[in-house]
Amino acid sequence: MKKTAAAMIMAMSLCGGALAQEVEPPKSCDYGAPHPSAPEELSQFAFLIGDYKITLHAWQGDQWSPPQPGVTARWNGYYGLGGMAIVDEWFHPDPAQQADSPRGINVRMYDPEAEEWDMMWVATGAHQVQDLRAKVLDGVLTMWQVYPERPDFRAEFEIADSDHWARIAYSKGEDGEWVKTFKLAAARIPCAK
């Protein structure tokens, strides 16, 4: 996981020139709505609804690194499948900065029987669908990967306010304890007026 975080930071530095530009406001701020019969747990991931600028921060043992200058990525979320799921898209960097940027999409659906989220992630360049799960554990929305099996990964979501949230990734340390590796910090992109 440390190699993954280092690779992400290196990729960000290679895109440095493109990242200094501002992002465009969303073309539409119609993100749909939950279906009337959607599980109420759909609200657990509702913070993803909207368009967000993302900065990456590496854990330095006692604090987060400063963000890379400029915008590093874009994360867009909306209600999909007629309001029964949350669909979110990832672009690195924002397509306004690099039209052919790498990208991925995630479909999140709550499974009432299992009392957890089922998620499928696919991205350009990955050539494989990842099967993820999430659940509120000890009051924190926590995500892990089921397929391909990845027992040394987990992520937690922190919601600061209606316009800011973060996804914090962890890996297992040598002692088997979870250790922070990197944070994706999100800030809402206002709609065009």
Side-chain angles (χ1 to χ4, degrees), residues 14-189:
L14 293 174
C15 296
L19 302 177
Q21 303 169 13
E22 280 300 313
V23 297
E24 292 179 15
K27 292 183 180 15
S28 168
C29 288
D30 179 6
Y31 302 109
H35 189 279
S37 62
E40 68 180 58
E41 289 83 0
L42 202 65
S43 66
Q44 292 173 350
F45 270 113
F47 63 90
L48 293 174
I49 304 301
D51 288 76
Y52 295 91
K53 306 187 272 194
I54 306 295
T55 56
L56 182 94
H57 307 261
W59 183 247
Q60 297 177 325
D62 59 350
Q63 65 182 357
W64 293 107
S65 68
Q68 184 80 19
V71 177
T72 61
R74 187 174 185 132
W75 196 324
N76 304 331
Y78 53 91
Y79 293 100
L81 300 177
M84 294 300 288
I86 291 178
V87 178
D88 47 285
E89 302 169 326
W90 169 262
F91 302 89
H92 186 192
D94 186 287
Q97 299 165 355
Q98 181 181 324
D100 60 348
S101 63
R103 56 200 63 202
I105 191 166
N106 199 354
V107 177
R108 302 171 192 264
M109 294 182 67
Y110 189 77
D111 179 349
E113 289 182 27
E115 297 182 336
E116 66 185 22
W117 286 86
D118 292 334
M119 299 172 287
M120 293 293 156
W121 164 258
V122 64
T124 58
H127 307 294
Q128 182 174 38
V129 175
Q130 293 177 354
D131 184 356
L132 301 141
R133 299 285 186 270
K135 186 175 198 162
V136 176
L137 300 173
D138 298 323
V140 178
L141 186 54
T142 305
M143 182 176 73
W144 62 94
Q145 186 169 317
V146 176
Y147 180 83
E149 190 174 341
R150 194 173 162 196
D152 62 342
F153 165 79
R154 78 187 270 177
E156 295 178 348
F157 292 89
E158 292 181 352
I159 303 159
D161 58 41
S162 61
D163 294 327
H164 300 88
W165 52 269
R167 176 182 170 259
I168 299 171
Y170 292 80
S171 65
K172 284 207 174 168
E174 293 176 11
D175 59 0
E177 296 294 318
W178 291 106
V179 178
K180 295 175 186 174
T181 55
F182 62 91
K183 172 172 73 170
L184 302 173
R188 186 179 300 278
I189 303 167

